[in-house]
Amino acid sequence: MKKVLVTGGTGYIGSHTIIELYKKGYEIDVLDNLFNSKETVLDKIEEIAGKRPNFYEIDLTDFDKVEELLAKNQYDLVIHFAGLKAVGESVEKPLEYYENNVSGTINLLRCMQKHGVKKIIFSSSATVYGDPGDPKYTETMETGRNLANPYGRTKYMIEEILKDCVVADKDFEVVLLRYFNPIGNHSSGLIGEDPNGIPNNLMPIIMKVARGEIEELSVFGDDYPTPDGTCLRDYIHVVDLAKGHVAVIDKMEPGVLIYNLGSGKATSVLEMIKAFEAASGQRLPYKVAARREGDLAEFYADPSKAERELGWKTKLTIEDAMRDTLKFLEQN
Ligand code: NAD
Ligand code: UFG
């Protein structure tokens, strides 16, 4: 196995995964429409890894362009990160989310089918579990019920589409990776999460508060049934997450493999604030605000399947993530 097409490769998780793929000698092409990333990320990848992926500025919803790319290149594997991911925006613009994420993926799959590309790793999310009752999510739990927003439904729908493709083609190899909450960045501080527009997620907002671009962090609710009243999440260092993708490649086989990628530990919003303050030595201004609609009090991964079958588990801590985030803030 040699040549990998990474969709969404200039994005946050994609760029970190490319660094890990280069360590294992893969050849990489990137497809991205640069909607939520910049082409300069490729310079940073080259600085870190000493290699530069071929870049194709293509939108997955443009079937002809995707087709042309797959006709010209014989890929062994596609790692599919490209997608829109802002939960709140997906509620306001559901059709854009379904078109971009679901139709974009269907285009990609049609082109893969046409050109004999039989392996795909898909960026799914813990959000597909909905609200199963038990906060410790295992891969065998039911998915697709009580999904809180269109974004989550696109992830669920794509998972189901991929499962159907495996039924139709016995040689097709699919991996669904369900990410928990990725944070941090490469220790060089050269690449990291740098979303265009107003961020929704906790870490990018903490970064904006630290830079003084947002006055204070709003903690969404402190009256949850958790030890300090704020929500608990499973934060995973993006470099550990990236390594999870590499770990699964050699395990791929016809059929569907599903893995949670998380640390198995739950951390509260207040603990995240304290960890940032400890790493930076600066106070992070925050206020307690109303609960955010759709938030669950607590969820975290049961990551034992990935450890058992892939020999993968998280090694980096929240402290590592905070240190690396500060490095990224310094450099950018
Ligand atoms: P990101 O926005 O940094 O990266 C996604 C990339 O896809 C961007 O560079 C964007 O320009 C590109 N893209 C979007 N639509 C495209 C299209 N139609 N054609 C071509 N390129 C397109 O996001 P990320 O955090 O790196 O997330 C990567 C994947 O992981 C996404 O599918 C996301 O839904 C999923 N995921 C992310 C998280 C998270 O919290 N970051 C959690 C669970 C799952
Ligand atoms: N939070 C705040 N203030 C903020 C932002 C977030 O208190 O300004 C809190 C939230 O209420 C939540 C926690 O910080 O308790 C984490 O929130 P994020 O928005 O960073 O992450 P979520 O757990 O809500 O969701 C994320 C992704 C989803 C994905 C899910 C599981 O946004 O797409 O992780 O992978 F499905």
Side-chain angles (χ1 to χ4, degrees):
M1 156 111 45
K2 281 251 88 153
K3 195 163 176 176
V4 183
L5 176 65
V6 180
T7 77
T10 41
Y12 172 49
I13 305 170
S15 57
H16 285 86
T17 302
I18 290 170
I19 308 279
E20 300 306 318
L21 289 168
Y22 272 143
K23 289 183 188 164
K24 301 283 179 193
Y26 293 99
E27 192 187 326
I28 295 159
D29 282 4
V30 167
L31 175 162
D32 202 297
N33 66 0
L34 300 178
F35 179 81
N36 197 36
S37 56
K38 298 183 182 78
E39 201 173 340
T40 51
V41 167
L42 301 167
D43 304 333
K44 312 284 172 129
I45 291 174
E46 190 173 11
E47 210 176 320
I48 296 167
K51 288 181 202 150
R52 187 185 183 91
N54 296 315
F55 178 66
Y56 301 93
E57 187 176 341
I58 294 175
D59 193 309
L60 280 179
T61 59
D62 185 342
F63 182 88
D64 293 343
K65 288 270 174 58
V66 181
E67 223 277 272
E68 199 185 315
L69 179 69
L70 271 77
K72 281 194 187 144
N73 297 277
Q74 190 53 51
Y75 296 112
D76 299 294
L77 163 71
V78 174
I79 308 186
H80 179 31
F81 295 98
L84 298 175
K85 61 163 186 174
V87 170
E89 188 185 60
S90 79
V91 176
E92 283 152 31
K93 301 176 179 169
L95 298 179
E96 285 186 21
Y97 272 68
Y98 290 118
E99 178 166 20
N100 191 79
N101 293 5
V102 181
S103 302
T105 302
I106 292 173
N107 280 347
L108 175 66
L109 290 168
R110 278 191 175 283
C111 296
M112 287 174 66
Q113 198 177 47
K114 187 161 174 198
H115 296 285
V117 186
K118 296 285 188 183
K119 296 171 197 262
I120 185 167
I121 298 176
F122 173 60
S123 295
S124 191
S125 164
T127 195
V128 300
Y129 293 108
D131 184 3
D134 182 344
K136 183 175 180 172
Y137 292 177
T138 56
E139 290 88 346
T140 49
M141 279 176 167
E142 191 193 355
T143 54
R145 280 219 291 177
N146 302 321
L147 301 186
N149 51 69
Y151 165 74
R153 275 186 281 278
T154 68
K155 291 292 170 194
Y156 171 71
M157 286 177 186
I158 295 167
E159 284 201 357
E160 296 304 300
I161 289 168
L162 287 166
K163 289 177 191 169
D164 287 339
C165 289
V166 162
V167 173
D169 177 358
K170 299 279 176 272
D171 297 327
F172 203 46
E173 305 183 12
V174 168
V175 177
L176 309 176
L177 296 180
R178 295 180 181 153
Y179 310 158
F180 285 68
N181 292 51
I183 58 167
N185 47 261
H186 189 262
S187 58
S188 63
L190 288 171
I191 55 171
E193 187 166 22
D194 192 10
N196 295 333
I198 301 161
N200 307 247
N201 296 119
L202 182 62
M203 261 330 277
I205 294 174
I206 288 181
M207 288 159 74
K208 286 209 179 277
V209 175
R211 277 179 171 144
E213 289 168 25
I214 296 177
E215 204 180 323
E216 57 185 358
L217 172 74
S218 294
V219 174
F220 296 141
D222 70 348
D223 55 354
Y224 283 97
T226 61
D228 66 19
T230 65
C231 295
L232 296 165
R233 292 289 181 275
D234 184 339
Y235 297 95
I236 169 173
H237 196 296
V238 68
V239 172
D240 279 332
L241 184 64
K243 288 181 198 286
H245 295 73
V246 178
V248 82
I249 295 176
D250 290 334
K251 286 281 170 186
M252 289 182 78
E253 57 188 25
V256 183
L257 292 171
I258 306 177
Y259 296 101
N260 284 340
L261 295 183
S263 71
K265 295 184 198 85
T267 304
S268 77
V269 180
L270 290 182
E271 285 168 338
M272 291 293 282
I273 295 173
K274 284 194 196 112
F276 184 84
E277 290 181 336
S280 66
Q282 96 185 52
R283 208 181 67 76
L284 194 86
Y286 72 88
K287 65 164 190 271
V288 175
R291 288 183 179 197
R292 182 173 69 177
E293 210 184 305
D295 272 345
L296 298 177
E298 177 183 14
F299 65 82
Y300 56 96
D302 173 353
S304 59
K305 185 181 179 203
E307 181 170 5
R308 212 168 45 242
E309 295 185 7
L310 309 178
W312 173 92
K313 63 175 182 175
T314 60
K315 295 205 173 87
L316 298 167
T317 61
I318 293 202
E319 288 67 36
D320 294 321
M322 295 301 175
R323 181 203 58 224
D324 297 336
T325 300
L326 286 163
K327 190 84 188 267
F328 181 75
L329 282 172
E330 256 169 54
Q331 306 247 4
N332 292 275

